[in-house]
């Protein structure tokens, strides 16, 4: 492997580790009992972030009791004839077809519009999701290895990789390592940063989520964002976003997690202290998959919605991933632009 190429790949990862001080990736959980144990292990590694936001589901078709949407409207971006310049968009993935199109697909579309000289292609890191979508909808989505194989087979010379992970974590490190092992197949390779990397990124995301929920900011409503959470040090990302919101005057905005701290109980206690009458719930995740639909907006005991309703609040659920927001899409465009600029260094 060329030393210059290797250094370029790992320089980006090292910089992000220093700036963000965390390791976390987006994740989605499975609701099918037959795959729950396998999915949980994979998801813990994946969302230790993206980001954030986001999740793994491997439900058997006969067990699904919800409408995931129309897979035929989604573009898996696995076409050949890529050309010499490729922009590979790497996501954890989701089997919710409509949300996949409106989040991951929207980010890919924004990148394609911003960089018309690059062929935009997709790769997912969750094999469980890839296999599930293939068996249920007959849609073929490449994993990272397959996407790299496709790029090499198609004669790509300049490869830019933009992850949609919420933040820098184990899954991002795995991506960097796998690409480094394959980098000799290409003349130049550059990897973009996850969503929440620099302080400026945090400010941009805060601006995006507060503007997107401004209509609910009426003085009597608590606006609560649900992240995934992790036992790893990277869980500090949620506290950092909470501190930024509070310091910026958004004192009725709260950030909690599904599987770590701040917990649902922590958020509920804060909301009670504020004397609010209504609550708005929204995921702090790139996609709105199983966590958003069930852990947040589900009607069963233990969900965020049911817990707040039982506490006497009027609850509104915004089941949308961060990837649906145009400012978030543009932030990924900025990160991809920086990666492209690195090709000439």
């Amino acid at each position: 492997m060329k030393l210059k190429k290797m250094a370029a790949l790992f320089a980006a990862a090292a910089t992000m580790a220093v700036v963000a001080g965390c390791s976390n990736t987006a994740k989605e959980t499975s609701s099918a009992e037959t795959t729950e144990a396998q999915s949980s292990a994979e998801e813990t590694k994946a969302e230790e972030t993206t980001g954030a936001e986001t999740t793994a589901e491997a439900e058997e078709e006969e067990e699904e009791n919800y409408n995931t949407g129309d897979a035929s409207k989604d573009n898996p971006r696995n076409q050949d004839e890529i050309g010499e310049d490729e922009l590979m968009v790497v996501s954890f993935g989701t089997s919710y077809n409509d949300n996949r199109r409106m989040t991951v697909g929207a980010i890919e579309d924004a990148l394609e519009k911003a960089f018309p000289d690059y062929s935009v292609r997709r790769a997912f890191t969750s094999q469980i999701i890839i296999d599930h979508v293939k068996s249920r909808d007959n849609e073929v989505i490449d994993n990272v290895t397959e996407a790299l194989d496709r790029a090499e087979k198609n004669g790509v010379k300049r490869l830019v990789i933009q992850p949609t992970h919420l933040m820098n974590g184990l899954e991002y490190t795995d991506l960097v390592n796998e690409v480094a092992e394959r980098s000799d197949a290409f003349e130049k390779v550059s990897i973009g940063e996850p969503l929440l990397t620099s302080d400026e990124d945090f400010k941009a995301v805060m601006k995006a989520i507060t503007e997107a929920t401004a209509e609910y900011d009426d003085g009597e409503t608590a606006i609560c964002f649900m992240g995934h959470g992790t036992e790893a040090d990277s869980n500090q990302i949620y506290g950092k976003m909470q501190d930024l919101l509070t310091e910026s005057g958004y004192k009725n905005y709260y950030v909690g997690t599904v599987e770590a701290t701040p917990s649902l109980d922590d958020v509920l206690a804060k909301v009670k202290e504020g004397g609010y009458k209504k609550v708005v719930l929204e995921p702090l995740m790139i996609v709105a998959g199983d966590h958003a639909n069930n852990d947040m907006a589900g009607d069963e005991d233990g969900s965020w919605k049911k817990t707040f309703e039982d506490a006497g609040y009027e609850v509104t659920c915004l089941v949308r991933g961060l990837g649906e927001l145009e400012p978030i899409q543009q932030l990924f465009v900025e990160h991809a632009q920086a990666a492209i600029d690195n090709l000439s260094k």
Side-chain angles (χ1 to χ4, degrees), residues 247-286:
E247 293 166 2
S248 301
Y250 297 101
K251 299 185 184 301
N252 59 323
Y253 279 71
Y254 300 95
V255 177
T257 66
V258 179
E259 296 187 4
T261 57
S263 66
L264 170 56
D265 289 341
D266 294 330
V267 176
L268 178 59
K270 291 293 185 181
V271 171
K272 287 181 177 179
E273 288 177 7
Y276 302 103
K277 297 179 181 179
K278 297 179 288 186
V279 170
V280 169
L281 302 176
E282 184 167 3
L284 190 67
M285 303 175 180
I286 299 299

Side-chain angles (χ1 to χ4, degrees), residues 185-205:
F186 313 99
E187 290 184 3
K188 294 184 177 181
V189 180
S190 181
I191 303 179
E193 298 174 339
L195 182 67
L196 289 170
T197 301
S198 67
D199 289 342
E200 290 70 24
D201 292 338
F202 276 85
K203 293 175 183 177
V205 172

Side-chain angles (χ1 to χ4, degrees), residues 5 8-9 12 82-91 108 111-112 114-115 117-123 144 147-148 151-152 156-164 172 175 179 183 185-193 332-345:
K5 187 181 300 180
L9 282 170
I82 293 171
E84 294 185 349
D85 298 316
E86 178 184 345
L87 176 52
M88 184 191 301
V89 184
V90 178
S91 306
E108 293 165 346
L111 291 167
E112 184 173 64
F115 308 108
D117 294 335
Y118 281 78
S119 295
V120 176
R121 294 295 180 264
R122 170 186 294 177
V144 174
L148 290 171
E152 182 176 0
V156 170
K157 294 182 179 180
R158 290 165 292 277
L159 177 63
V160 175
I161 298 175
Q162 179 57 56
T164 67
Y172 180 77
L175 173 64
V179 174
S183 65
F186 313 99
E187 290 184 3
K188 294 184 177 181
V189 180
S190 181
I191 303 179
E193 298 174 339
F332 280 120
V333 169
E334 292 176 15
H335 287 189
Q337 181 65 68
I340 291 173
D341 293 342
N342 283 335
L343 291 176
S344 59
K345 294 182 179 180

Side-chain angles (χ1 to χ4, degrees), residues 17-78:
V18 171
V19 174
C22 61
S23 61
N24 207 334
T25 52
K27 134 180 196 306
E28 231 186 297
T29 56
S30 169
S31 61
E33 294 180 358
T34 56
T35 58
E36 187 172 12
Q38 179 185 4
S39 178
S40 176
E42 182 178 3
E43 293 155 19
T44 298
K45 178 180 178 181
E47 176 61 34
E48 230 196 295
T49 148
T50 273
E53 319 261 85
T54 33
T55 58
E57 12 167 68
E59 304 91 342
E60 296 296 334
E61 185 172 3
E62 63 272 18
E63 294 179 357
E64 292 180 347
N65 57 3
Y66 52 82
N67 180 14
T68 63
D70 188 353
S72 68
K73 296 180 180 179
D74 183 45
N75 181 0
R77 293 186 180 276
N78 59 358

Side-chain angles (χ1 to χ4, degrees), residues 132-190:
H132 184 51
V133 172
K134 175 64 168 63
S135 64
R136 186 191 65 196
D137 303 316
N138 198 33
E139 177 173 331
V140 177
I141 298 172
D142 288 342
N143 60 32
V144 174
T145 300
E146 292 166 339
L148 290 171
D149 288 342
R150 189 184 300 278
E152 182 176 0
K153 182 184 71 174
N154 280 270
V156 170
K157 294 182 179 180
R158 290 165 292 277
L159 177 63
V160 175
I161 298 175
Q162 179 57 56
T164 67
H165 302 143
L166 195 65
M167 61 194 75
N168 180 18
L170 286 180
E171 191 175 353
Y172 180 77
T173 300
D174 287 345
L175 173 64
V176 171
N177 290 339
E178 180 169 2
V179 174
E181 292 175 357
R182 298 286 300 275
S183 65
D184 277 345
F186 313 99
E187 290 184 3
K188 294 184 177 181
V189 180
S190 181

